[in-house]
Amino acid sequence: MDFTGWHIALPERGRRFLLPAENLRAPLNAEVSERKSGIWVLHTESGLGVLMPDGMDVIRNGTAVTGMAVLHQGDTLELGGRLAVYEEVQHLTLAPGDALTGRHCPHCFTAFTAGTEVIRCPLCGEGYCPDCWEHLVGSRCCSRNCRFSPDSQGTHGQ
């Protein structure tokens, strides 16, 4: 999620965290039973991003969220008075020890090292060189059995 001036990345697939109402910049690995006020952010095994407000108002594309909301590329979000845009595709610079460090772009086979700029597929988690990702527009991710089709949304101007 892109807040003006800062980003919050989705958790790994199959995981969740809580954005506490008192500090949206500091995701917590809380337990659901703790019932803290905030917004649960989930990344499902199938690759979907999901928000579930817990004692906090959330508005997605101008409509209040009740229960939960499945996120889509370009959704505008108001979370506790803060505005954000949801981007499915992650743009990141690899840190030492990142799971993609030492792997190769499946399109051009360039090896990824710490400090490399990478675009991560939202469904399978595969990493790509930014130029290779752009080359796949109109096609689909190269990872076996991944059905994500990159488009030009969210990949320019990063």
Side-chain angles (χ1 to χ4, degrees):
M1 288 181 282
D2 181 8
F3 293 86
T4 305
W6 50 287
H7 290 75
I8 293 177
L10 285 181
E12 293 295 319
R13 287 176 69 171
R15 308 264 183 191
R16 69 180 184 297
F17 59 68
L18 177 73
L19 295 177
E22 65 273 5
N23 186 0
L24 293 175
R25 290 184 186 224
L28 297 175
N29 291 320
E31 293 298 321
V32 176
S33 61
E34 293 180 45
R35 302 296 298 173
K36 296 184 177 203
S37 179
I39 302 157
W40 289 99
V41 179
L42 298 87
H43 194 183
T44 67
E45 289 291 340
S46 64
L48 295 174
V50 177
L51 288 180
M52 293 175 46
D54 191 357
M56 189 171 168
D57 292 333
V58 175
I59 298 172
R60 183 187 73 178
N61 299 330
T63 304
V65 174
T66 56
M68 69 176 231
V70 175
L71 300 172
H72 301 284
Q73 175 68 32
D75 280 351
T76 57
L77 304 166
E78 185 178 332
L79 313 169
R82 296 290 201 118
L83 297 177
V85 175
Y86 176 70
E87 295 181 352
E88 290 179 296
V89 178
Q90 292 180 346
H91 304 262
L92 51 127
T93 301
L94 295 181
D98 187 287
L100 291 175
T101 301
R103 302 224 10 200
H104 294 83
C105 173
H107 188 71
C108 72
F109 305 108
T110 297
F112 297 138
T113 59
T116 301
E117 289 186 35
V118 174
I119 294 180
R120 182 176 283 160
C121 176
L123 290 184
C124 70
E126 190 65 74
Y128 287 86
C129 301
D131 289 342
C132 292
W133 187 257
E134 286 294 324
H135 183 71
L136 292 174
V137 170
S139 185
R140 70 177 190 86
C141 176
C142 295
S143 185
R144 185 176 183 180
N145 296 324
C146 184
R147 64 189 182 287
F148 189 79
S149 180
D151 62 17
S152 59
Q153 286 185 311
T155 59
H156 296 291
Q158 298 294 320

